[in-house]
Amino acid sequence: MKIFVTGGAGYIGSHVAKTLGDLGHDVLVYDNLSTGNEWAVLHGRLVVAGLEDKLTLARVLKEYSPDAVMHFAASIVVHESVISPIKYYLNNTACTLNLIEAMLDAGVGRLIFSSTAAVYGIAQGVPVLESAPLNPINPYGSSKMMNELILRDASGAYGGSFRHVSLRYFNVAGADGEGRIGQVYKNATHLITRALKTAKGELDRLDIYGTDYPTPDGTCIRDYIHVEDLAHAHVLALDYLSGGGESVVLNCGYGHGFSVREVVAEAKRVTGADFNAVECGRREGDPPELVAGNGKIKSVLGWKPVHDDLEYIIRTAWNWEKKLA
Ligand code: UFG
């Protein structure tokens, strides 16, 4: 199949594009390289352009005429979204509208959308199910929730001719098992990446944000999912839509979590570095525990995780991080 991948030069998009290419699909990556990298596009063609450029988007989409679109391009830093909300509504919500409009014009009717657990805000239940209320607590989560609502309405209005799978990612981590691609954000904010940069000596300390949460060890619990298991979920979602599946929203996580302290201990073990981890106050907007209910993705897509293993997640991320040095 021909797959149009927005943000395919970024962290998650490049892993999915790689998986699609390995499976023999034809891939066109559409990325403005604002955070992505040309070298991360291992298969297919790269068009360097933004989704705000409606003329280029419409032209490239029509010329390529894909069987489906996978939409990763987005701004993703929660803290930044609080300071610069308009950037998030433009890059995430307005650009997704542009994409949907261009897809409808070009007669492309299948979309796999990168959503996020941030749409739940402070989840009331653990694990959190897709039916839980959407109550984002920052503009990043709101911008993605709006996209979900737009997609719901578009699917309702255009029936079978426009269908989507929205995948709500939990904490995506790890890297390509062969070490070819991985995370390369400037000023990385994610726990595992920051822990590894501290182990490497690039940062002088890792802050542990909050030790007084209502969890067994007082630190926040997250559901860390290896990026290749997430990539496989996208392939299954593509098969599902190609087989006539109806629009659906699915959580992507393993269904259990690790505390910050547990992640730090495992990062120290994997790297062999007893790095400096300092207990600090809470970071604003962090829910105490966020774990995916994953029964739906397993039953709807037949998804079976193969890397549900914190050691593997950290080891692949560490191999990548060392390569960056
Ligand atoms: N943390 C630290 N120190 C750090 C970095 C993080 O203690 O240096 C803690 C955070 O406070 C949090 C946990 O580690 O408790 C995980 O934090 P991350 O920043 O790695 O990830 P988040 O859970 O904040 O964010 C992830 C995704 C977001 C998504 C969010 C949904 O990266 O895109 O889940 O809640 F919006």
Side-chain angles (χ1 to χ4, degrees):
M1 277 188 272
K2 285 161 68 177
I3 318 297
F4 184 91
V5 182
T6 79
Y11 169 52
I12 298 173
S14 66
H15 283 83
V16 177
K18 175 202 73 171
T19 305
L20 291 169
D22 287 348
L23 290 170
H25 294 294
D26 190 86
V27 174
L28 185 146
V29 168
Y30 189 94
D31 196 306
N32 65 5
L33 300 184
S34 59
T35 56
N37 294 284
E38 195 171 348
W39 51 255
V41 180
L42 299 180
H43 293 292
R45 185 152 69 91
L46 168 67
V47 172
V48 181
L51 293 166
E52 73 289 346
D53 179 354
K54 290 172 77 166
L55 286 178
T56 304
L57 175 63
R59 181 179 52 76
V60 175
L61 201 58
K62 272 198 184 121
E63 276 172 16
Y64 187 56
S65 187
D67 297 288
V69 171
M70 294 195 184
H71 179 32
F72 300 93
S75 298
I76 60 153
V77 180
V78 170
H79 175 66
E80 184 193 40
S81 79
V82 177
I83 298 164
S84 306
I86 304 307
K87 172 178 173 180
Y88 278 69
Y89 293 118
L90 285 171
N91 283 351
N92 295 357
T93 310
C95 282
T96 299
L97 266 176
N98 289 349
L99 177 64
I100 295 169
E101 191 183 22
M103 287 176 65
L104 292 170
D105 283 348
V108 180
R110 298 170 195 159
L111 175 66
I112 296 165
F113 171 63
S114 301
S115 191
T116 169
V119 298
Y120 296 116
I122 313 269
Q124 296 305 313
V126 178
V128 60
L129 302 179
E130 290 85 348
S131 53
L134 302 188
N135 200 6
I137 55 171
N138 50 60
Y140 167 67
S142 299
S143 69
K144 291 281 187 171
M145 181 189 74
M146 288 178 191
N147 288 343
E148 284 198 12
L149 298 179
I150 293 165
L151 288 171
R152 180 198 66 189
D153 293 344
S155 296
Y158 306 115
S161 64
F162 184 85
R163 291 170 294 121
H164 76 278
V165 175
S166 286
L167 297 175
R168 291 182 183 156
Y169 307 163
F170 281 64
N171 287 62
V172 188
D176 171 40
E178 293 174 46
R180 291 168 295 176
I181 46 178
Q183 251 188 31
V184 277
Y185 300 132
K186 276 189 205 131
N187 307 319
T189 59
H190 293 103
L191 174 64
I192 291 178
T193 306
R194 289 190 70 83
L196 298 178
K197 286 188 184 299
T198 316
K200 207 170 70 168
E202 191 176 318
L203 300 175
D204 60 5
R205 56 182 260 184
L206 174 76
D207 290 339
I208 295 182
Y209 298 136
T211 54
D212 60 348
Y213 283 99
T215 58
D217 71 12
T219 64
C220 290
I221 294 173
R222 293 289 180 275
D223 187 335
Y224 296 91
I225 170 175
H226 193 275
V227 65
E228 289 188 330
D229 274 333
L230 184 66
H232 187 54
H234 288 74
V235 172
L236 295 175
L238 178 65
D239 293 345
Y240 168 82
L241 286 179
S242 305
E246 291 178 1
S247 294
V248 69
V249 177
L250 302 169
N251 284 342
C252 288
Y254 290 146
H256 62 90
F258 293 96
S259 72
V260 174
R261 285 191 206 279
E262 286 171 326
V263 171
V264 170
E266 190 62 17
K268 288 186 175 184
R269 208 181 59 77
V270 169
T271 61
D274 186 20
F275 56 82
N276 190 17
V278 181
E279 296 186 1
C280 302
R282 293 182 178 196
R283 184 175 72 175
E284 203 184 328
D286 279 335
E289 186 166 8
L290 207 40
V291 171
N294 63 10
K296 194 171 171 191
I297 189 170
K298 285 179 170 169
S299 67
V300 173
L301 298 187
W303 180 67
K304 284 195 195 87
V306 296
H307 298 305
D308 180 359
D309 173 359
L310 186 62
E311 194 268 341
Y312 180 78
I313 291 174
I314 294 178
R315 183 156 45 82
T316 53
W318 179 232
N319 288 342
W320 170 251
E321 199 59 52
K322 283 189 294 187
K323 210 168 163 182
L324 281 179

